[in-house]
Amino acid sequence: MSPKHSLPRQSSRNSSKQSLTLSARNRLSIIAEDGDAPPVPKVPARAHHRPFNHRWNLGDPPRHSFEKSPPAYGVWNAPGPDLETPEDVKTKKPNKHLQRRGGYGRLLAIALLVIATVVALVVGLVVGLRKKERTSDSSPSPSPSPNTTSDDQGPFPIGSYATTTFLESATTNCTSNPATWLCYPYTTYADSPPDAKATFNWVIAAASSDLTSNNQYTISSSNNPFAINFANAAMVLVDVNTPMERYSFSIRLDKTVVPSAPITKNNSIASCFYSNTLFQGSLYTRMSNTYPASINSSSVSSTMGTASSSNFEPWPYAAEISQSISGGSRVPECYEGINSNLGDRITDGFTAQPDTDACSCLYKNYDP
């Protein structure tokens, strides 16, 4: 073979070798699985102050290593924006809002305070209700009276009552002229029991809209033959739960008396006034009445509620009423009567009596 023909062969061999080299470069590198592979150069350790996800060029660290067998099938809890590792939980900072407000300790204290308040309210309500029940059970109340059915009647003692009494005594020590102090019906029980009868018509009402508010009642006169008129006098329950339990009231008023005998020189009609006369009454709730014989506690109890609302029910228990005034200057003040008008004051024949002397009228319906 001549040299002239050997050159092309060499060129062809070189071209083939270059093709193999380029082809080998384009192939993936072979991973050696034996110990003859050249050592892999060490990579410098990453700086620890860098963020965790920046320590790896591709973001997250490799999940598997070629030096170990793959783990069992499962879910890889890789750290991310929505998942936390135990280290993250340990190093997680508390809520800034809670830190400003005092933290979880203050939140716990508030919760305990709310619970304690609710418990205290419940306990207070229970204790209050029990105390109210005990008070209502032990509160004093007058002896029950038979229920009434008329429209004007209500829980005892509310209603309209006619209290029948007798005039037990009459004293005239406050005035120098006994004819100027009179007590209706002008006859005492000692003089004539039938003629000593005096009936007081009264209306008892609740002092407020609550009919059972601590036994607060008022009493007013009605159709009074003694011309003693008053309204809404307060009644008080005294001597509670005793045989002498009663409703008592007292009021100051003016009493007018037409003398039983002439006190003027010309025998004209006169009127005498006793200012600031004390009018007192006691309506018992346990003690029986004995006068008149046809009206007593037992007979009244069996008939109460049968009368119409326009009538006055008999008071079913004992009662005591009195009028009294002490002596003094201008007790009484008497005037002449001229054509139903008051004339001159009458002073002749009058002498002021000491204030230790009194005029009185005493009425009751028990133990004559």
Side-chain angles (χ1 to χ4, degrees), residues 95-171:
N95 188 287
K96 293 182 179 180
H97 179 75
L98 292 177
Q99 284 183 329
R100 290 195 301 268
R101 296 293 184 180
Y104 291 99
R106 182 172 181 178
L107 182 62
L108 179 60
I110 293 175
L112 292 176
L113 180 61
V114 172
I115 294 174
T117 303
V118 173
V119 172
L121 289 175
V122 173
V123 172
L125 181 61
V126 172
V127 173
L129 291 176
R130 290 181 179 177
K131 185 176 180 181
K132 183 177 180 180
E133 291 177 358
R134 290 196 299 267
T135 303
S136 61
D137 292 340
S138 61
S139 60
S141 59
S143 300
S145 176
N147 294 329
T148 57
T149 57
S150 61
D151 296 337
D152 290 347
Q153 299 293 108
F156 184 82
I158 294 176
S160 300
Y161 297 97
T163 305
T164 302
T165 64
F166 60 85
L167 177 62
E168 182 182 46
S169 63
T171 59

Side-chain angles (χ1 to χ4, degrees), residues 147-221:
N147 294 329
T148 57
T149 57
S150 61
D151 296 337
D152 290 347
Q153 299 293 108
F156 184 82
I158 294 176
S160 300
Y161 297 97
T163 305
T164 302
T165 64
F166 60 85
L167 177 62
E168 182 182 46
S169 63
T171 59
T172 60
N173 297 332
C174 69
T175 176
S176 58
N177 188 340
T180 60
W181 176 267
L182 300 178
C183 298
Y184 180 90
Y186 320 118
T187 300
T188 64
Y189 184 88
D191 295 333
S192 175
D195 296 334
K197 183 172 67 174
T199 301
F200 297 84
N201 294 328
W202 289 331
V203 177
I204 300 176
S208 65
S209 58
D210 185 2
L211 299 182
T212 59
S213 60
N214 196 25
N215 293 325
Q216 295 298 318
Y217 303 99
T218 61
I219 187 169
S220 303
S221 63

Side-chain angles (χ1 to χ4, degrees), residues 7 42 44 115 141 150 168 173 194 242 250 282 302 317 361:
L7 293 173
K42 296 182 178 180
I115 294 174
S141 59
S150 61
E168 182 182 46
N173 297 332
T242 69
S250 62
S282 294
S302 63
Y317 301 101
C361 302

Side-chain angles (χ1 to χ4, degrees), residues 196-342:
K197 183 172 67 174
T199 301
F200 297 84
N201 294 328
W202 289 331
V203 177
I204 300 176
S208 65
S209 58
D210 185 2
L211 299 182
T212 59
S213 60
N214 196 25
N215 293 325
Q216 295 298 318
Y217 303 99
T218 61
I219 187 169
S220 303
S221 63
S222 176
N223 299 328
N224 195 331
F226 317 117
I228 298 177
N229 299 316
F230 61 94
N232 299 325
M235 300 178 66
V236 180
L237 187 64
V238 297
D239 290 338
V240 180
N241 294 330
T242 69
M244 301 298 290
E245 180 183 271
R246 62 194 181 277
Y247 285 103
S248 296
F249 67 94
S250 62
I251 188 172
R252 294 280 181 176
L253 43 76
D254 295 339
K255 177 175 179 174
T256 303
V257 176
V258 176
S260 58
I263 59 173
T264 62
K265 294 179 180 181
N266 57 3
N267 295 330
S268 63
I269 297 176
S271 297
C272 296
F273 301 92
Y274 292 83
S275 301
N276 208 30
T277 299
L278 179 62
F279 186 81
Q280 294 177 303
S282 294
L283 300 177
Y284 293 86
T285 60
R286 296 175 184 267
M287 187 166 62
S288 299
N289 57 3
T290 57
Y291 179 89
S294 59
I295 301 178
N296 52 51
S297 300
S298 58
S299 63
V300 170
S301 299
S302 63
T303 59
M304 283 192 68
T306 60
S308 64
S309 60
S310 60
N311 294 335
F312 289 84
E313 301 280 1
W315 179 258
Y317 301 101
E320 184 175 319
I321 301 99
S322 67
Q323 306 171 45
S324 62
I325 188 172
S326 299
S329 62
R330 305 181 74 89
V331 177
E333 293 185 54
C334 299
Y335 297 87
E336 292 183 3
I338 302 175
N339 298 327
S340 300
N341 296 319
L342 296 180

Side-chain angles (χ1 to χ4, degrees), residues 61-82:
R63 299 188 179 185
H64 307 292
S65 173
F66 63 86
E67 296 178 355
K68 298 181 181 179
S69 299
Y73 180 80
V75 179
W76 179 265
N77 293 328
D82 297 329

